[in-house]
């Protein structure tokens, strides 16, 4: 129980310690004023912090403004467009891809007079060299840390090793799927929440055990919430206002924003967003 009105799903029980120690907070009513319920459009909006969904990634833009050379590291299986389009080098480093590459095939000289191919090879070579550098400085995991064996757990392990390396990237992205519960939500949703809670609880335990690390704030988002009404398949469809999770060394405990009033719904019968994604990002960047 968070308040008299807000209660966590039982599957999130592993996060109770972080909540009690004020290392966990929730952003309430997060969403766009007129939400687009397409996955592709919504993901572009969240990635760019723009209702139009166009432009460079919001994290890439932030790092450019701060003059950071990066690298911006994505550990999720499909990367992150929020890290792309800026000056800072962004790397796709899913655990399965964290292996040696044949650098000789990336020599820009192989492009000959093809300017575009030369530029692509230069970027690939720079990324490969940075990956090899990061591999060389990876720190060990904290002794005795029990990590879940899920895909998200593997990402957490690599994130902790990067953070504890002494050369931590300014941004590390992780990703988890499984929340698009159009059917059988009563079975699928707790499973996804349990995987999330176990991985993040382990991440926070590991984070607090690392020595000589930077301050860390984790922000977890989804491109939209779910409908209030159940559909005919025992699930819920794409909705509007959602929540986001913040965890780490500096969070606005207990809440950021306000929970939408269930007495005031949009034309589809869904809650009205009270905190726009750009506002959430701005608050997270101040932490």
């Amino acid at each position: 129980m968070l308040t008299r009105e807000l209660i966590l799903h039982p599957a999130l029980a592993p996060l109770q310690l972080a909540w009690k120690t004020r290392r966990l907070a929730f952003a309430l009513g997060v969403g766009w004023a007129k939400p687009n319920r397409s996955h592709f459009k919504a993901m572009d909006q969240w990635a760019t912090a723009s209702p139009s969904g166009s432009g460079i990634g919001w994290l890439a833009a932030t790092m450019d403004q701060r003059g950071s050379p990066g690298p911006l590291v994505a550990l999720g299986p499909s990367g992150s467009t929020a890290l792309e389009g800026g000056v800072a080098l962004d790397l796709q480093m899913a655990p399965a891809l964290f292996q040696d590459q044949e650098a000789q095939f990336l020599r820009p000289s192989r492009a000959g007079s093809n300017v575009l191919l030369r530029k692509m090879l230069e970027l690939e070579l720079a990324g490969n060299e940075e990956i090899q550098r990061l591999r060389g400085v990876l720190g060990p995991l904290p002794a005795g840390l029990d990590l879940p064996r899920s895909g998200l757990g593997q990402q957490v392990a690599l994130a902790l090793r990067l953070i504890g390396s002494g050369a931590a990237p300014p941004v590390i992205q992780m990703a988890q799927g499984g929340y698009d519960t159009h059917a059988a939500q009563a079975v699928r949703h707790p499973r996804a929440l349990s995987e999330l809670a176990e991985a993040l609880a382990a991440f926070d335990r590991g984070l607090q055990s690392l020595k000589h690390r930077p301050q860390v704030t984790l922000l977890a988002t989804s491109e939209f919430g779910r409908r209030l009404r159940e559909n005919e398949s025992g699930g819920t469809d794409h909705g509007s206002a959602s929540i986001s999770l913040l965890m780490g060394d500096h969070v606005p405990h207990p809440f950021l924003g306000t929970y939408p009033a269930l007495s005031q719904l949009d034309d589809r019968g869904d809650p009205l967003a009270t905190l726009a994604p750009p506002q959430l990002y701005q608050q997270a960047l101040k932490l």
Side-chain angles (χ1 to χ4, degrees), residues 51-273:
S52 69
S54 60
I56 70 174
W58 74 275
L59 283 166
T62 298
M63 292 301 106
D64 285 354
Q65 291 169 3
R66 296 183 176 184
S68 172
L72 315 183
V73 175
L75 303 181
S78 58
S80 171
T81 51
L83 310 184
E84 299 174 356
V87 175
L89 183 65
D90 65 277
L91 302 177
Q92 165 60 36
M93 289 175 56
L97 299 178
F98 200 62
Q99 53 191 337
D100 291 320
Q101 295 188 36
E102 295 294 335
Q104 63 266 28
F105 294 111
L106 300 177
R107 291 199 304 268
S109 60
R110 295 172 61 90
S113 60
N114 189 320
V115 177
L116 179 59
L117 179 58
R118 178 179 293 274
K119 182 63 175 177
M120 291 176 64
L121 288 174
E122 288 174 350
L123 290 173
E124 287 290 329
L125 182 59
N128 182 69
E129 291 174 344
E130 186 63 16
I131 287 175
Q132 301 314 313
R133 184 189 72 81
L134 290 174
R135 288 187 65 176
V137 299
L138 280 177
L141 285 171
L145 180 64
D146 185 20
L147 286 168
R149 297 181 179 179
S150 63
L152 187 56
Q154 294 176 18
Q155 295 176 58
V156 163
L158 186 49
L160 288 171
R161 296 188 68 190
L162 286 167
I163 293 169
S165 69
V171 175
I172 299 174
Q173 178 262 359
M174 297 181 281
Q176 179 203 21
Y179 292 95
D180 201 22
T181 50
H182 292 279
Q185 181 168 299
V187 175
R188 297 169 58 198
H189 193 60
R191 187 183 305 149
L193 291 179
S194 179
E195 179 183 318
L196 176 69
E198 291 174 0
L200 292 190
F203 176 76
D204 198 47
R205 290 195 303 271
L207 193 63
Q208 294 184 74
S209 298
L210 291 175
K211 299 179 180 180
H212 311 299
R213 64 167 177 84
Q215 297 289 286
V216 175
T217 298
L218 181 145
L219 171 64
T221 66
S222 179
E223 64 263 32
F224 38 61
R226 312 302 299 180
R227 300 293 310 274
L228 287 181
R229 293 184 179 277
E230 183 179 310
N231 62 28
E232 295 180 356
S233 300
T236 55
D237 300 321
H238 302 170
S240 55
S242 185
I243 65 166
S244 292
L245 179 154
L246 300 101
M247 171 182 279
D249 299 314
H250 298 287
V251 298
H253 184 86
F255 302 112
L256 182 64
T258 57
Y259 198 82
L262 297 182
S263 59
Q264 299 177 14
L265 306 178
D266 65 16
D267 56 3
R268 292 187 61 178
D270 290 335
L272 298 171

Side-chain angles (χ1 to χ4, degrees), residues 217 246 250 252 256 275 277-287:
T217 298
L246 300 101
H250 298 287
L256 182 64
L275 184 67
Q279 294 175 306
L280 172 63
Y281 294 159
Q282 290 170 7
Q283 291 294 323
L285 291 171
K286 293 178 182 177
L287 300 174

